[in-house]
Amino acid sequence: MLGEGIVRGLAETARNFLGSFVSKERLTTVQFPEERLPQAEAARDFPFLVYDGEDWQAGMRCVACQICEKECPPKCIFIEKSKDKKPDALGRAQFYPARFDIDVSVCMSCQICVEVCPFEAIKMDTAFELSTDDRFGGLLWDRQKLALSDAHYHAIHPTDAAHTDELLAAEKAKAEARTKAAVAKASPAPMPQPPAPAAANEP
Amino acid sequence: MTLPFTIIAALTIAGAVAAMSLRNLVHCVLALTLAFAGLAGMYLLLGAQFVGFAQILVYIGAIAILTVFAILLTRGTEPDAFLDLPSAWVSNSVIVAAVFGVLVWAVHSSPLSRRTLPPPPQITVRQIGFALMDRFVLPLEVIGLLLTAALIGAVILAMHEKQAAK
Amino acid sequence: MTETIDQIFVILKHWLVGHVPTAVEPIVSELLSVVPIILLFPLLFALITVMERKGLGRIQNRYGPNRVGPCGILQPIADGIKTLTKENIVPHSADKVVHLLAPLLLVMATFLGYAVLPVGRNMVAANMDAGVLFFFAVGSMTELSVFMAGWSSRNKYSLLGAMRAIAQMISYEVPLILSSVTVIMAAGTLSTVSIVEQQSGYTGIFPHWFVFTPWGFAGFVLFMIAATAESNRSPFDLPEGESELIAGYYTEYSGFKFALFFLAEYLGMMSISGMAITLFLGGWAAPLSFLTWIPSYLWFFGKLFFFIAGFIWIRGTLPRLRMDQLMNFAWKFMLPMALINLVTAGVWRFMPTGILRWLVCSAMVVAPYVLLGRGFMLGKRLEKRTYRFAD
C-alpha cells in the first residue's frame, strides 16, 4: 500500500535515533582527541633509531652503513659517517652516524629502510600527531630526535621487538661462539707461546 | 488624505511609472508587482479585507509570476530596451499636464466629489460567501466552467507539444 | 492562578500600554505585539538549527555538533559569526538591486505570516476576519522572491533552479489550500482565532480537534505533505539540493544574504506548522481535558516542537524526490485526494452525529487513498532498464 515503505523507514530511523543514546553500536563515533581508537600492532608512521640501554649515543645500533640512505625511494635520509669508531652492541668497534637526518615531510612510510637494515637499527614509530608550525626545520629530524629506546620499541611493537631481540641474541651467540672457537684454535696446548697473538684477536 | 493613503498612493503611482519607464523588462514586471501591492493596500484601507488578500494571492502570487514566465520564455534574451524620448517631449508634457488638469478640475467641481458617503459597511467573508452562493451563483458557475475550459486547454496544448517533440 | 499564568503576557502588555500617553497607545500596542514575534522566532530558528544537526546526526549514528557550549547548544552563535564575517560576493553582471531585494522580500513575507497565528488564549498579533486567506496570500509572495533570487544571479542554472522551485511551490499550493478549505468549511469562518476556539471544547476527556475526524486526518496529512513541499524541505528539497549538484536559485548568494534565505526557510517551516496546529490540532488547546491547567502558549510551542521534530525525522529518513515524481505526486495524487476530502467534509457536516457518520466518512477517505495509491504505484515496478535511443 502507498506509504508503507515510508512508515517502515521512519521506524528504522527512530530505532537508530533512540538506540544511539543507549548502545555503542548505534553511535560509533570516537571523540578525538579525548578518546582514541587503538592502533593495529603493525601500524607505521615514521622511522626512529633504536638504542639499547640508557645512553642514546653509546647504545645506538646504527653503524652508518648508509644502505637505508641508498634504498630510500624519496631520498629523505641524510647520513654522515663519523671519523672515529665506538663499540657496538656486539662489542666490535664500528662507525656511527655523526649526522642522521630524516625529512619527515618527504618520508612516505614505505618501511624499505627498516627492511634493508642489517643491524635492526631503524624501526617504524606509530606517533602521528606531529603537526608543527615551524615551517622550515620542524619536520627535518636530526638523530637526537630520532633516537628512541628499545623499551619504546617493545612498547609499540611487542611481537616485532621480541623477534628482533631473538635475532640479535642469535647473532650475539654466533659471534661469541666464533670468538670462542678462535680462542680455542689460537691456544690448543697449555701456553708456552707469548700471549701477544691471542691478545691481538681479543674483541 | 490621510498619511497611509498618501504613502500607498505614492507607492502605487511610483510602481506604475517605473513599470512604464524602466529599461529592463523584468524590472518593469517587478515594478508592476509593486503597483499590485499598492492596490491591495488600497483595498485594505477601504476595509475590504477579502478583496485585498485575494488581490495579493492572485495578482502577486500568480499573475506576476505568469507575466515573468511569459517574458522569460519569449523575450528573456533580448538586451535592455533603450529609453528614447521623442524630440518634442517638452510640448508633449505640457499638453498632458493640461489635459490632466482639466480632468481633475472637472471631477473636483462636480457634485460627486462633495457627496458625503456613509461609513463603509463591515463586510465579513461570511456575507461574501452567502452572496456568492445566493445571488451570484450563476456567475460563479460560469467562471468555474471557464476556468475548467482553460485548464483543459492548457493540458491539451502541453500534450500536443509533447507529441510534437516526440 | 492558572488563569493568571495563562494570560501573563496579555496582562503584561496591557499594563505597559497603560503607562504611555494616549496618542501613541495604538502604536505601542502594535509594537508590543510584533517585537516579541521578531525576537522569539529567530531565537527558535537558532535552536532548531542545532536540534536538526544533532537529531540528524543521531539518526545517522554520529554525534551532531558538540564542541561549542554544552552539547553544542551555542553552535548557532558560531554559525552566525561565520556567516556575518564572510565576504559578500555579488556576480559582476548580476542585477544588484534585485539581488539584494530577493532575500529581504522573502524574510518579510515569511515574518508577515506570523501575524495571524494565535499562540495562546487571547494572544494573536492581528485578529483578522480573513486570517487564513491572509496567511496564504503572504505565503504566495515567497514564490516571487524565489524567482527574483534566481533571475538576478544571471546564471542559467540559477534560473532553471528558480523555475523548478516556483513550479513546485505553485503545484503544492493547490492541495495546501484545498485541505485547509475543509477546515474553513467545518468551522464556518476564516478567522484563525475562532477556528481555534471552536476546537477548544471537550467531550469527556477527548478534545474536539479537527484532526480526530476522518476528513480532518486526511486533510492534516495532505496539509503536512504540501507544507513540506512549500517550505522546500526534504524530501522535496530539489531547489536547495540542486546546489550540491549544479546550482540552486541561491547559489550566487554568500554570507549574510544566504543566512537570510536560510532564516526564511526555517521561519516558513515554523509558520506553516503553526498554521497546521491552528487549523487541525486545536491551536493552544490542551489534548486532554484535565491538562488545561498548563498555560496555552506552552501547548502551542510544545506542538510546534513536535512538528519540527517530525520535519527533522522525515528529512533523515526519506531520499529526495525527483522533479517529475514531485509534480506527478502533486497533481495526480494529492489534488484528487484533496477534492475527495472536501466532499467528505461536506458529508460529515450534513450527516447526523453517530457511528454511521464515522464509518461512511472513513470509507470515503480510505477507499480513494487505496485505489489512487495502487494506481499511482502501478507504473513503478522495477523493470529492466530500457534505452530510448541506443539499441
Side-chain angles (χ1 to χ4, degrees):
Chain A
M1 204 174 66
L2 189 67
E4 196 181 326
I6 296 182
V7 172
R8 256 193 272 154
L10 286 175
E12 179 64 37
T13 327
R15 197 180 309 140
N16 251 6
F17 179 80
L18 296 171
S20 75
F21 289 102
V22 289
S23 82
K24 191 69 185 155
E25 69 167 42
R26 289 212 184 257
L27 185 64
T28 50
T29 315
V30 169
Q31 300 256 51
F32 192 85
E34 285 93 23
E35 316 164 351
R36 283 189 174 82
L37 275 176
Q39 282 184 314
E41 201 197 309
R44 64 183 198 233
D45 278 285
F46 294 117
F48 71 97
L49 292 169
V50 191
Y51 66 83
D52 299 307
E54 299 296 329
D55 186 4
W56 66 271
Q57 278 183 310
M60 191 178 283
R61 293 186 196 162
C62 176
V63 298
C65 64
Q66 291 179 310
I67 292 181
C68 58
E69 188 184 18
K70 295 186 183 92
E71 296 286 334
C72 175
K75 300 274 184 292
C76 65
I77 304 184
F78 305 99
I79 302 182
E80 264 180 24
K81 244 186 179 111
S82 64
K83 299 286 181 280
D84 57 330
K85 298 198 179 188
K86 74 162 172 63
D88 76 340
L90 299 176
R92 293 194 288 255
Q94 300 273 18
F95 288 112
Y96 60 91
R99 231 186 91 188
F100 194 111
D101 293 341
I102 295 187
D103 190 350
V104 166
S105 63
V106 177
C107 171
M108 60 185 199
S109 312
C110 61
Q111 210 175 266
I112 289 182
C113 52
V114 172
E115 289 169 16
V116 301
C117 179
F119 298 94
E120 317 290 340
I122 186 168
K123 297 289 175 193
M124 294 306 272
D125 198 2
T126 54
F128 56 90
E129 294 162 9
L130 304 168
S131 309
T132 170
D133 49 3
D134 176 11
R135 199 199 294 184
F136 297 107
L139 288 177
L140 181 68
W141 290 353
D142 60 356
R143 61 179 182 146
Q144 179 166 12
K145 187 138 191 300
L146 284 169
L148 291 171
S149 73
D150 193 34
H152 174 82
Y153 184 40
H154 272 274
I156 54 177
H157 299 297
T159 21
D160 278 345
H163 184 66
T164 312
D165 279 354
E166 275 177 20
L167 284 176
L168 285 175
E171 271 196 27
K172 195 163 181 149
K174 219 177 359 172
E176 277 180 6
R178 224 184 302 130
T179 50
K180 233 187 277 246
V183 164
K185 205 169 68 150
S187 53
M191 26 188 283
Q193 300 100 324
N201 285 341
E202 286 286 338
Chain B
M1 297 284 271
T2 56
L3 185 62
F5 173 77
T6 321
I7 297 179
I8 294 182
L11 269 178
T12 315
I13 295 180
V17 166
M20 286 187 299
S21 56
L22 282 178
R23 287 180 290 175
N24 191 344
L25 262 181
V26 180
H27 285 176
C28 296
V29 174
L30 292 175
L32 193 64
T33 313
L34 183 63
F36 290 155
L39 264 181
M42 292 284 186
Y43 288 135
L44 289 174
L45 266 185
L46 288 171
Q49 278 187 10
F50 187 80
V51 181
F53 297 141
Q55 164 93 1
I56 298 181
L57 183 62
V58 170
Y59 271 82
I60 302 182
I63 293 189
I65 295 186
L66 175 69
T67 319
V68 152
F69 266 65
I71 290 182
L72 281 179
L73 289 174
T74 55
R75 285 170 177 266
T77 52
E78 271 186 14
D80 293 353
F82 282 108
L83 184 66
D84 45 353
L85 292 172
S87 50
W89 66 275
V90 178
S91 55
N92 288 354
S93 317
V94 167
I95 297 178
V96 164
V99 170
F100 186 63
V102 166
L103 280 174
V104 164
W105 172 83
V107 167
H108 198 66
S109 64
S110 78
L112 264 176
S113 68
R114 271 184 291 278
R115 196 176 58 167
T116 52
L117 291 165
Q122 290 294 330
I123 304 284
T124 58
V125 181
R126 177 172 280 258
Q127 288 171 305
I128 297 181
F130 276 137
L132 268 179
M133 285 292 144
D134 192 3
R135 249 184 86 190
F136 298 104
V137 68
L138 185 60
L140 182 71
E141 297 299 330
V142 168
I143 290 176
L145 204 62
L146 187 65
L147 284 174
T148 315
L151 262 178
I152 296 179
V155 170
I156 291 181
L157 273 177
M159 255 172 47
H160 267 190
E161 276 177 18
K162 214 166 64 162
Q163 298 274 8
K166 276 200 175 156
Chain C
M1 184 57 193
T2 52
E3 186 70 32
T4 319
I5 300 183
D6 194 29
Q7 300 290 294
I8 186 95
F9 294 107
V10 182
I11 297 173
L12 197 65
K13 175 180 153 185
H14 282 211
W15 178 79
L16 277 171
V17 167
H19 279 263
V20 293
T22 331
V24 294
E25 243 180 50
I27 296 184
V28 170
S29 165
E30 296 295 332
L31 269 178
L32 279 177
S33 299
V34 164
V35 168
I37 293 181
I38 298 188
L39 289 179
L40 178 68
F41 282 101
L43 201 67
L44 277 180
F45 155 72
L47 228 70
I48 289 179
T49 48
V50 188
M51 217 171 95
E52 165 159 34
R53 289 172 70 174
K54 290 196 77 67
L56 280 179
R58 291 267 170 184
I59 288 178
Q60 295 162 358
N61 296 346
R62 58 183 172 88
Y63 293 100
N66 61 356
R67 298 278 154 178
V68 192
C71 286
I73 289 268
L74 299 179
Q75 181 73 29
I77 301 183
D79 280 341
I81 296 178
K82 170 202 87 165
T83 327
L84 286 175
T85 54
K86 273 199 177 172
E87 182 190 352
N88 186 17
I89 301 176
V90 177
H92 183 68
S93 63
D95 210 339
K96 291 193 183 26
V97 175
V98 181
H99 195 81
L100 176 64
L101 278 181
L104 295 182
L105 181 65
L106 189 60
V107 170
M108 183 200 82
T110 330
F111 262 125
L112 273 178
Y114 285 102
V116 288
L117 294 180
V119 295
R121 197 173 279 122
N122 302 334
M123 296 198 323
V124 63
N127 185 4
M128 280 191 255
D129 189 35
V132 180
L133 183 62
F134 169 78
F135 184 83
F136 290 124
V138 150
S140 71
M141 282 210 292
T142 56
E143 295 155 20
L144 193 67
S145 85
V146 164
F147 166 74
M148 280 164 66
W151 177 79
S152 68
S153 310
R154 297 290 167 101
N155 182 351
K156 280 197 239 333
Y157 300 112
S158 238
L159 190 60
L160 222 72
M163 298 295 207
R164 286 156 80 142
I166 296 176
Q168 173 188 319
M169 289 165 97
I170 290 186
S171 319
Y172 278 93
E173 257 193 17
V174 181
L176 187 78
I177 298 187
L178 274 179
S179 48
S180 64
V181 163
T182 58
V183 172
I184 297 170
M185 262 172 47
T189 168
L190 273 175
S191 157
T192 47
V193 174
S194 47
I195 290 180
V196 169
E197 274 168 10
Q198 285 192 17
Q199 298 182 65
S200 56
Y202 297 93
T203 48
I205 55 170
F206 294 112
H208 282 169
W209 294 355
F210 289 138
V211 75
F212 291 132
T213 58
W215 57 266
F217 187 71
F220 175 64
V221 171
L222 286 171
F223 191 92
M224 282 328 289
I225 299 177
T228 320
E230 277 292 309
S231 42
N232 286 346
R233 210 44 213 168
S234 242
F236 301 101
D237 62 348
L238 198 65
E240 67 180 41
E242 262 197 321
S243 303
E244 305 162 29
L245 306 172
I246 311 173
Y249 59 88
Y250 41 65
T251 183
E252 303 285 355
Y253 285 89
S254 56
F256 194 56
K257 294 186 199 156
F258 185 78
L260 281 179
F261 272 114
F262 213 55
L263 173 73
E265 176 188 321
Y266 280 82
L267 281 180
M269 198 167 93
M270 279 196 284
S271 85
I272 217 164
S273 313
M275 183 48 82
I277 295 173
T278 308
L279 291 175
F280 293 98
L281 255 65
W284 41 255
L288 297 167
S289 61
F290 49 84
L291 289 174
T292 43
W293 53 272
I294 300 181
S296 52
Y297 44 86
L298 282 185
W299 279 119
F300 183 86
F301 284 108
K303 292 175 199 174
L304 192 67
F305 169 77
F306 275 111
F307 269 73
I308 304 295
F311 271 123
I312 296 174
W313 193 9
I314 299 242
R315 179 179 178 177
T317 310
L318 296 174
R320 189 172 294 145
L321 273 152
R322 226 172 44 218
M323 197 64 197
D324 60 325
Q325 291 173 335
L326 228 148
M327 304 291 268
N328 273 348
F329 190 60
W331 293 105
K332 292 190 187 168
F333 181 79
M334 289 189 61
L335 183 61
M337 277 303 298
L339 288 171
I340 293 175
N341 197 26
L342 257 182
V343 177
T344 314
V347 165
W348 175 273
R349 183 164 167 90
F350 286 109
M351 282 185 79
T353 336
I355 193 75
L356 184 65
R357 182 163 80 150
W358 278 86
L359 287 174
V360 166
C361 287
S362 308
M364 280 181 75
V365 163
V366 168
Y369 173 73
V370 171
L371 292 172
L372 271 175
R374 201 172 295 165
F376 200 63
M377 302 224 293
L378 210 53
K380 298 287 181 291
R381 297 281 165 270
L382 290 171
E383 344 172 296
K384 193 155 153 14
R385 189 177 177 145
T386 55
Y387 295 89
R388 267 193 301 164
F389 300 114
D391 283 310

